[in-house]
Amino acid sequence: MNCRTAIIISIGDELLIGQVIDTNSAVIAQQLSGAGISVLKKYTIKDEAPEISNALDEAIPEADLVIMTGGLGPTNDDVTKATLNAYFKGSLKRDETVFQHVVAFFKKRNRPMLVVNEAQADVPDVAQVLFNRLGTAPGMLFEKNNTWVVSLPGVPREMQTIMLEELMPRLLAARTGNQVIHHEHILLFGRGESYVAADIKDIEDSLPAHISLAYLPHYGLLKLRLSGKGTNIAQLQSEMGVYADMIHQRELDFVFARKESTLERTVVELLQENRLTIASAESCTGGMVASRITDIPGASAVFMGTVVSYDNNIKHRILGVKNETLEQEGAVSAACVIQMAQSVRDMMQTDIAVAISGILGPSGGTPTKPVGLVFFSVSSKYQTEVFDLNFPYDRAINKEMVVNTALNLVRKHIQAFFL
Amino acid sequence: MNCRTAIIISIGDELLIGQVIDTNSAVIAQQLSGAGISVLKKYTIKDEAPEISNALDEAIPEADLVIMTGGLGPTNDDVTKATLNAYFKGSLKRDETVFQHVVAFFKKRNRPMLVVNEAQADVPDVAQVLFNRLGTAPGMLFEKNNTWVVSLPGVPREMQTIMLEELMPRLLAARTGNQVIHHEHILLFGRGESYVAADIKDIEDSLPAHISLAYLPHYGLLKLRLSGKGTNIAQLQSEMGVYADMIHQRELDFVFARKESTLERTVVELLQENRLTIASAESCTGGMVASRITDIPGASAVFMGTVVSYDNNIKHRILGVKNETLEQEGAVSAACVIQMAQSVRDMMQTDIAVAISGILGPSGGTPTKPVGLVFFSVSSKYQTEVFDLNFPYDRAINKEMVVNTALNLVRKHIQAFFL
């Protein structure tokens, strides 16, 4: 089985009423795409036997690999295993390795084992077991007309681990062909999709047929992704690198990364490389800048701490913002964020501090200070900068955009003053 | 057109290589589901003309409504509009209202208007325009064989606004039938799916055919959703309420809400109702408890602020954790979180404070303090509680679970001491 193409089938009523967002299929697609396997399409279907069978009937003739996820939990709303067993004309047999694992799983957690959990060790005899070391529902691998059909549990970390440890090695071992896929990324902040498209139209028009360009906007970030196909990875990388460099040069003021990354990762890496430390003072973002920075493993070397001063009294008492500033100019003002940034930098004894105060909405605006107005300050021994911007979206989107803007201002401050 | 069933088609290569998670289709599904329209399935396909046409060929005979999202941006990787125009045998005509809107859109932002933006005002003459007041790509409504085919832009807030303001009113106006769908929710924290399934097996087995139960686990939360169909909404609600109450009673210790909610919303509502205030002192969670609390509009009435003391020096200097505690017991200890909670409660002058210190991983563990060990303290004038738990997952999942656990401990503290 030389796997070039795949179809992903996500199973679950919760996905069809929109109660759960399907992150699993994105994770699967990333892994397959990284291995040069092209995902042709995705289906999301109900947890019902005829839906599952129909989807398999459609998908198996079209792709080398069909991955199903979801519908393998212990409870009654899961019918996937029985349906697959019938579809592939198997019969359920207790798998002893899986059974011992399930027993040990419950023993380790000091929890009683239930009949429904025992039944998780029953596997169709026509399937290979894909061992689930993190959970109790095993993955399964079937084959029909030279297409592999894989069923994975819906719990994200279990699905991901089976994918990585059990399925990908089998796929790579079975591989005989040599088509490769390569991606190049140019990550920008602060320039809209259509402007970038106009800026680089000549470059885009000159791309050969085997290289394509996609625009992926996300809360003020714009990811440009070049995707190329070829047979020689070194040659493809070098060819695509030239185009990526041309785009990078054209958008120099806005590019913050040339790899799959985030603003918080870029900031943490810049701080680490230059042995700098940072703190934040946050009002409207409620600690989200700190939370995003500390999402990066190793942030403890560069991030000291934060004061979230949501209440004005806290801005005054803990951060020493002057009462006259709060009374005359208000908490959403240049003077207030400057004091917040300088004060938290002193307090936390860091090289850099960032402060944010604004009105995210839906209410809280005034004629002079509308909803969406946000002040930022970035302070270091070199300079204390202040910025104000208006964000026109809803509370949740404004918050994401404000956090991204704050991280980008920190990045630019480091690059302007410390490099 | 009496709309009972729908199919959602998400368009975009970025979805198929897993670079973007498809939240749009979940939002659409929620809105349709709330209006009693059953989503039969979802497709995710490439941004290519034959894929789009094939998906329409499949979907139109199966459903009353087909909603496509994505593929309407101004850049070259979007072919949706041209494909729809050809599919429905229309020709592109400039829509004057849309054109004036696009002109005004760029004028307001002081940005130059590009040719690609002008072209966004060109709409197939066989389509109704669904006005996009937040962006430049209009939504479009086509009809074929009594099925409505709707194309929406991929930018989430634009898609959502058109859906709410333009499409849903048209769907409801066209409605003549009377089938209703109702959902009841029982939200639990801290009890696994299979235990709940065993606890309530008799109730689940007694559900009539028109009521179904789904289990939706999410970072330690378990959402139980009863879904029912009927013709009389009052009768359906009362019938389903009885089952929901039975399940609620059976899991009394774990239930935190009986509506679509979150732990942070539950905590903010409890604080508001009882006129209480809260602060947090966070180490490993990096401000995420504060960020989650302030996601709730109106949190400013109850949430004062936070100290994120990521570095030990900050724990000592700002929060007054004793050096001997940090040296002898370490930052991940009962003594440390108790001092953090009491200190931040004093500092912020709140009724309640919660403190968290732990090791989220991937590294940082020791033989006596393994990765995943987290201490929590909740402090009020009545009592300062301390808890320790082990979280066995990866850094990102551990963080979500720890934040949920902290919010749940606050909820239980309020209910135990303040009600």
Side-chain angles (χ1 to χ4, degrees):
Chain A
M1 208 279 301
N2 193 16
C3 186
R4 292 170 186 278
T5 56
I7 289 176
I8 301 171
I9 302 175
S10 301
I11 301 174
D13 291 358
E14 66 280 12
L15 300 169
L16 290 170
I17 68 163
Q19 210 158 22
V20 169
I21 288 166
D22 177 19
T23 55
N24 275 355
S25 70
V27 171
I28 294 170
Q30 275 168 16
Q31 293 219 14
L32 295 177
S33 182
I37 298 166
S38 171
V39 177
L40 303 177
K41 67 179 80 168
K42 299 197 253 181
Y43 300 105
T44 308
I45 59 171
K46 292 188 189 185
D47 196 0
E48 289 172 8
E51 295 290 321
I52 296 171
S53 302
N54 287 343
L56 288 175
D57 283 345
E58 272 192 47
I60 291 173
E62 284 190 41
D64 302 321
L65 172 67
V66 178
I67 298 190
M68 315 176 72
T69 176
L72 287 183
T75 47
N76 289 358
D77 57 348
D78 299 306
V79 298
T80 310
K81 186 156 70 179
T83 306
L84 286 170
N85 187 46
Y87 190 90
F88 291 102
K89 302 184 174 57
S91 67
L92 290 174
K93 293 260 165 63
R94 171 98 6 139
D95 183 293
E96 202 48 42
T97 311
V98 174
F99 184 71
Q100 291 309 328
H101 167 68
V102 174
V103 170
F105 186 93
F106 282 87
K107 197 166 173 192
K108 187 175 164 197
R109 284 160 179 77
N110 274 320
R111 293 199 223 149
M113 184 157 160
L114 310 172
V115 176
V116 288
N117 299 119
E118 278 188 31
Q120 296 198 281
D122 296 340
V123 180
D125 54 2
V126 291
Q128 271 185 60
V129 168
L130 302 177
F131 187 66
N132 178 1
R133 68 174 169 83
L134 296 182
T136 52
M140 292 171 283
L141 168 60
F142 303 86
E143 192 165 354
K144 184 178 177 180
N145 301 339
N146 214 26
T147 288
W148 285 11
V149 177
V150 173
S151 172
L152 300 174
V155 180
R157 68 200 165 85
E158 297 179 20
M159 180 284 295
Q160 208 166 342
T161 304
I162 300 175
M163 187 81 195
L164 200 69
E165 296 178 0
E166 299 286 324
L167 181 59
M168 296 310 294
R170 284 176 170 82
L171 280 172
L172 297 176
R175 162 173 285 183
T176 56
N178 61 353
Q179 195 190 46
V180 290
I181 293 182
H182 179 64
H183 300 293
E184 288 275 336
H185 297 93
I186 306 115
L187 275 57
L188 295 82
F189 185 82
R191 188 154 177 86
E193 180 184 359
S194 42
Y195 299 97
V196 174
D199 294 342
I200 64 171
K201 185 172 187 313
D202 57 323
I203 304 173
E204 191 169 358
D205 289 346
S206 72
L207 291 174
H210 65 285
I211 300 176
S212 64
L213 176 63
Y215 293 74
L216 309 165
H218 187 69
Y219 297 129
L221 267 75
L222 178 64
K223 194 180 288 184
L224 300 182
R225 189 194 62 233
L226 286 165
S227 304
K229 288 183 186 184
T231 50
N232 179 325
I233 185 70
Q235 191 184 321
L236 187 63
Q237 279 171 346
S238 129
E239 181 186 15
M240 290 172 66
V242 172
Y243 291 106
D245 289 344
M246 285 166 67
I247 295 170
H248 185 157
Q249 282 308 312
R250 200 68 67 82
E251 301 293 342
L252 204 53
D253 285 353
F254 304 100
V255 174
F256 70 89
R258 276 294 298 277
K259 59 182 184 188
E260 269 285 33
S261 188
T262 57
L263 281 162
E264 55 269 30
R265 184 173 296 277
T266 303
V267 164
V268 168
E269 287 171 357
L270 270 173
L271 293 167
Q272 284 171 334
E273 287 157 13
N274 297 285
R275 299 178 178 275
L276 299 171
T277 56
I278 193 168
S280 69
E282 306 186 39
S283 186
C284 62
T285 48
M288 198 189 198
V289 170
S291 180
R292 289 265 296 272
I293 288 174
T294 59
D295 282 344
I296 310 301
S300 58
V302 300
F303 174 71
M304 295 298 109
T306 289
V307 174
V308 180
S309 54
Y310 213 60
D311 193 77
N312 277 359
N313 187 24
I314 307 299
K315 291 184 184 75
H316 173 62
R317 284 196 300 106
I318 317 279
L319 289 175
V321 177
K322 291 176 195 152
N323 271 331
E324 63 187 61
T325 303
L326 293 169
E327 281 155 20
Q328 287 162 24
E329 303 178 55
V332 180
S333 67
C336 182
V337 285
I338 288 172
Q339 292 172 54
M340 286 168 68
Q342 289 176 337
S343 165
V344 84
R345 183 161 75 84
D346 282 353
M347 187 188 284
M348 305 271 179
Q349 299 172 358
T350 55
D351 297 303
I352 299 167
V354 57
I356 304 138
S357 184
I359 307 157
L360 294 187
S363 60
T366 66
T368 52
K369 294 191 178 165
V371 166
L373 177 64
V374 180
F375 284 85
F376 302 83
S377 177
V378 183
S379 177
S380 69
K381 66 179 174 185
Y382 297 109
Q383 197 161 324
T384 296
E385 301 176 289
V386 63
F387 308 87
D388 67 278
L389 283 165
N390 271 280
F391 296 83
Y393 313 114
D394 71 17
R395 182 181 181 90
I397 296 172
N398 280 344
K399 191 171 175 182
E400 298 276 356
M401 302 275 285
V402 167
V403 170
N404 281 340
T405 302
L407 291 167
N408 193 52
L409 290 172
V410 168
R411 173 185 76 82
K412 293 184 95 160
H413 189 101
I414 297 171
Q415 290 174 334
F417 296 102
F418 287 91
L419 302 196
Chain B
M1 206 278 303
N2 194 16
C3 185
R4 293 169 185 277
T5 57
I7 289 176
I8 301 171
I9 302 175
S10 301
I11 301 174
D13 292 357
E14 66 279 13
L15 300 170
L16 289 170
I17 69 163
Q19 209 158 22
V20 170
I21 289 166
D22 177 18
T23 54
N24 276 355
S25 70
V27 171
I28 295 170
Q30 275 167 17
Q31 294 220 15
L32 296 178
S33 181
I37 298 165
S38 171
V39 177
L40 302 176
K41 68 179 79 169
K42 299 197 254 182
Y43 301 104
T44 307
I45 59 172
K46 293 188 188 184
D47 196 0
E48 289 172 7
E51 296 290 322
I52 296 171
S53 302
N54 287 342
L56 287 175
D57 284 345
E58 272 192 47
I60 291 173
E62 284 190 43
D64 302 321
L65 172 67
V66 178
I67 297 191
M68 315 176 72
T69 175
L72 287 183
T75 49
N76 289 356
D77 57 347
D78 299 307
V79 299
T80 311
K81 186 156 69 179
T83 306
L84 287 171
N85 187 46
Y87 190 90
F88 291 102
K89 302 184 174 55
S91 68
L92 289 174
K93 294 259 163 65
R94 171 95 11 131
D95 182 293
E96 201 49 40
T97 311
V98 174
F99 184 70
Q100 291 309 329
H101 166 70
V102 173
V103 170
F105 186 93
F106 282 88
K107 199 168 172 190
K108 187 175 165 197
R109 284 160 179 77
N110 275 319
R111 293 198 223 149
M113 183 156 159
L114 310 172
V115 177
V116 288
N117 299 119
E118 281 188 31
Q120 296 198 280
D122 296 339
V123 179
D125 55 1
V126 291
Q128 270 184 61
V129 169
L130 302 177
F131 188 66
N132 179 0
R133 69 174 169 83
L134 296 182
T136 52
M140 293 171 284
L141 168 59
F142 303 86
E143 192 166 354
K144 184 177 176 180
N145 300 337
N146 214 26
T147 289
W148 285 12
V149 177
V150 173
S151 172
L152 300 174
V155 180
R157 68 200 165 86
E158 299 179 18
M159 179 284 295
Q160 209 166 341
T161 305
I162 300 175
M163 186 82 195
L164 200 69
E165 296 178 1
E166 299 287 326
L167 181 59
M168 295 311 294
R170 284 176 170 81
L171 280 171
L172 297 176
R175 162 172 286 182
T176 56
N178 62 352
Q179 194 190 47
V180 290
I181 293 182
H182 179 65
H183 300 293
E184 289 275 337
H185 298 92
I186 306 115
L187 275 58
L188 294 82
F189 185 82
R191 188 154 177 86
E193 180 184 359
S194 43
Y195 299 97
V196 174
D199 294 342
I200 64 170
K201 186 174 187 311
D202 57 325
I203 304 174
E204 192 169 357
D205 289 346
S206 72
L207 291 173
H210 65 286
I211 300 177
S212 64
L213 176 63
Y215 293 74
L216 308 165
H218 187 69
Y219 297 130
L221 267 77
L222 178 63
K223 194 181 288 184
L224 299 183
R225 189 193 64 234
L226 286 165
S227 304
K229 288 184 184 183
T231 51
N232 178 327
I233 185 69
Q235 191 185 319
L236 187 63
Q237 280 170 346
S238 130
E239 181 186 16
M240 290 171 67
V242 173
Y243 290 107
D245 288 345
M246 284 165 67
I247 295 170
H248 186 159
Q249 282 308 313
R250 199 69 67 84
E251 300 293 343
L252 204 54
D253 285 352
F254 304 100
V255 174
F256 70 90
R258 276 294 298 276
K259 59 182 183 187
E260 268 286 33
S261 188
T262 57
L263 280 162
E264 55 269 31
R265 185 173 295 280
T266 302
V267 164
V268 168
E269 287 172 356
L270 270 174
L271 292 167
Q272 285 171 334
E273 287 158 13
N274 297 286
R275 299 177 177 276
L276 299 172
T277 57
I278 193 168
S280 69
E282 306 186 38
S283 185
C284 61
T285 47
M288 198 189 200
V289 169
S291 181
R292 290 266 297 274
I293 288 174
T294 60
D295 282 344
I296 309 301
S300 58
V302 299
F303 174 70
M304 295 298 109
T306 289
V307 174
V308 180
S309 54
Y310 213 60
D311 193 78
N312 276 359
N313 187 24
I314 308 299
K315 290 185 184 73
H316 172 62
R317 283 198 301 107
I318 317 279
L319 288 175
V321 177
K322 291 177 195 153
N323 271 331
E324 63 186 61
T325 302
L326 294 169
E327 281 156 20
Q328 287 162 24
E329 302 178 56
V332 181
S333 66
C336 182
V337 284
I338 288 172
Q339 291 172 54
M340 287 169 68
Q342 289 176 337
S343 165
V344 85
R345 184 161 74 85
D346 281 353
M347 188 187 283
M348 306 272 179
Q349 298 171 359
T350 56
D351 298 303
I352 299 168
V354 57
I356 303 139
S357 184
I359 307 157
L360 293 188
S363 59
T366 66
T368 52
K369 294 190 178 165
V371 166
L373 177 64
V374 180
F375 284 85
F376 302 82
S377 176
V378 184
S379 177
S380 70
K381 66 179 172 184
Y382 296 110
Q383 198 159 322
T384 296
E385 302 175 290
V386 63
F387 309 87
D388 67 278
L389 282 164
N390 270 281
F391 296 83
Y393 313 115
D394 71 18
R395 183 181 181 88
I397 296 172
N398 280 345
K399 191 171 175 183
E400 298 276 356
M401 302 277 284
V402 167
V403 170
N404 282 340
T405 301
L407 291 167
N408 193 52
L409 290 172
V410 169
R411 172 186 75 84
K412 293 184 95 161
H413 189 99
I414 298 170
Q415 290 175 334
F417 297 103
F418 287 91
L419 301 196

